[in-house]
Amino acid sequence: MPDSIDFPRKPVLVLGASGFIGARVVEALSAGTSYQPIAASRRPKPGGIVLDATNPAAMREALRGAARVVNCVAGSNEAMVRSTQALCDAARGQPPGRIVHLSSMAVYGSASGSVREDHPAVQPVSGYGQAKIACEQIIGKYVRDGGDAVMLRPTCVFGPGSTQWTTRLARLLEARRIGDLGSAGDGCCNLAFIDDTVAAIVNALDAANVAGRTFNVSSSAELTWNEFLVRFARSLGATPVKRIVPRMLKLETKLLAPARKIAGKVLRGPATEAITPSLAALWAQDIRIDSAAAVDALRMPQTTPDAMIAAAVQWLHGVSPATRPEFAR
């Protein structure tokens, strides 16, 4: 008799595998022994499949034989909704064991205070947030029809490889366009470290007693954006940290942001990155995302803010400013 028995790895279809989170999920699944990732994306990826996730026929073919699905599809609001609908329609005919769907804290809109998963959306809700709500409604109907799905709502996913929350903020800090924002930065800083987020996703694939549930994915550390930005700036060496007066931030968001967006299509770098009104509103929003349920049910790790920043800075220092990935515009 053999000393051990090798059980087959469960095939996991990862939609949006060329994106920041999707690529890290593929890496984590590949490194383990329980799952065999099938990387699906619009762009060719070594060992993966090319997939237009909004195409129902293509989705049905991609889903064939998948034991689990992770939906990390990004893109336009319309593409996210259409791909989620195509996934659920295909899954009804050949249901995988579970779908893990990535939503966003954006579904809470302008909510304030401590926010758990049952908190309703508060207007105004961004177009992106509305699209994520529509996707959640599609997943919810799939569950009510008998399907098995888990929804995760990450906050600002930070860490090595994050163009939106690492590269962009680093460039703005190095250019002294942000720093200590005064009263405009006193909002709650809800970060989800990339490694913690991926762990929650992988653990959700087979966690018991979570079918049909929704989980916030965030750090439990209580930081203001000012505290985070100052720590990040000091770790980057972007010192002295500049104090940004409210008038300058208002000028950035109201007058300069549209021009910088246009320039950003031609030029690259901190001088063209826009500080949008939505970003400024986030820095001031008094919302604390409660992720205790994910820590308990999904065994989600909780990396400290200092460890998050150290990992991000180490990554940034290993990538020259000229070749750093561009943030998502």
Side-chain angles (χ1 to χ4, degrees), residues 258-327:
R260 291 188 190 279
K261 276 191 170 184
I262 295 171
K265 295 179 180 180
V266 180
L267 304 173
R268 301 292 185 181
T272 60
E273 293 177 359
I275 300 175
T276 62
S278 61
L279 183 58
L282 179 67
W283 289 335
Q285 188 174 359
D286 183 24
I287 179 173
R288 171 61 57 199
I289 302 297
D290 186 333
S291 61
V295 172
D296 178 46
L298 302 180
R299 295 177 289 114
M300 182 176 71
Q302 290 285 274
T303 302
T304 66
D306 286 341
M308 291 187 209
I309 291 172
V313 170
Q314 182 179 20
W315 172 71
L316 286 166
H317 284 170
V319 183
S320 69
T323 59
R324 285 181 191 171
E326 298 301 327
F327 74 93

Side-chain angles (χ1 to χ4, degrees), residues 189-192 196 217-223 288-292 295 300-303 305 308:
C189 177
N190 297 280
L191 298 179
D196 299 346
V217 173
S218 185
S219 168
S220 60
E222 296 187 6
L223 283 177
R288 171 61 57 199
I289 302 297
D290 186 333
S291 61
V295 172
M300 182 176 71
Q302 290 285 274
T303 302
M308 291 187 209

